[in-house]
Amino acid sequence: VRIVPDATGLVRVFGAGPNHYADTAFWLEVDRGTERGRALLDKLARYYRHAHRSWPYDRNMLRLLIVVEHNDEPRLAYLRRRLQQLNQHYRMTLDVRLTRADLLAARGGLDPTRPKWRTLDDDSFVPAFNQPPQPGDDPPC
């Protein structure tokens, strides 16, 4: 399965000290609204096919970040619906965050821990990457 995202990267978010950090790899798609219909569906489906091929060997799939044009809320909603449909079709949930370019440019800039992103199932804004565990935090169950 050939995937050619617009960019790939690794974000390191630091917590309370130099030894408290979390690394998260990601793929970035900048959506300009030019792909629609079957072409868009095929492009998004490649991420699912890649994830399906890697499961269960790689349980830490890369996070997919999708950025749409300034103030293009209808496009963001359209992509969320398409990805939700693909979640049902492939019976798996990709780790996806979506936002608009104007939200990234707003106060706070590109700080990945600021709540400027949406998940597929929630309209509230969340960080693209969470803060790492702090000293004294209970380990996840």
Side-chain angles (χ1 to χ4, degrees), residues 111-131:
D111 181 348
T113 63
R114 300 198 47 101
K116 297 182 177 191
W117 299 82
R118 293 192 185 126
T119 64
L120 297 183
D121 300 320
D122 191 351
D123 268 341
S124 61
F125 291 100
V126 298
F129 304 97
N130 295 327
Q131 290 283 352

Side-chain angles (χ1 to χ4, degrees), residues 53-65:
R53 275 187 31 196
S54 301
W55 183 262
Y57 310 109
D58 184 3
R59 292 178 183 258
N60 298 315
M61 293 304 300
L62 297 179
R63 179 162 295 164
L64 175 58
L65 303 178

Side-chain angles (χ1 to χ4, degrees), residues 2 8 22 30 38 43 52 54 65 85 101 117 126-127 133:
R2 185 166 185 230
T8 61
V30 178
R38 188 84 222 155
K43 180 178 187 173
H52 184 69
S54 301
L65 303 178
Q85 291 168 348
W117 299 82
V126 298

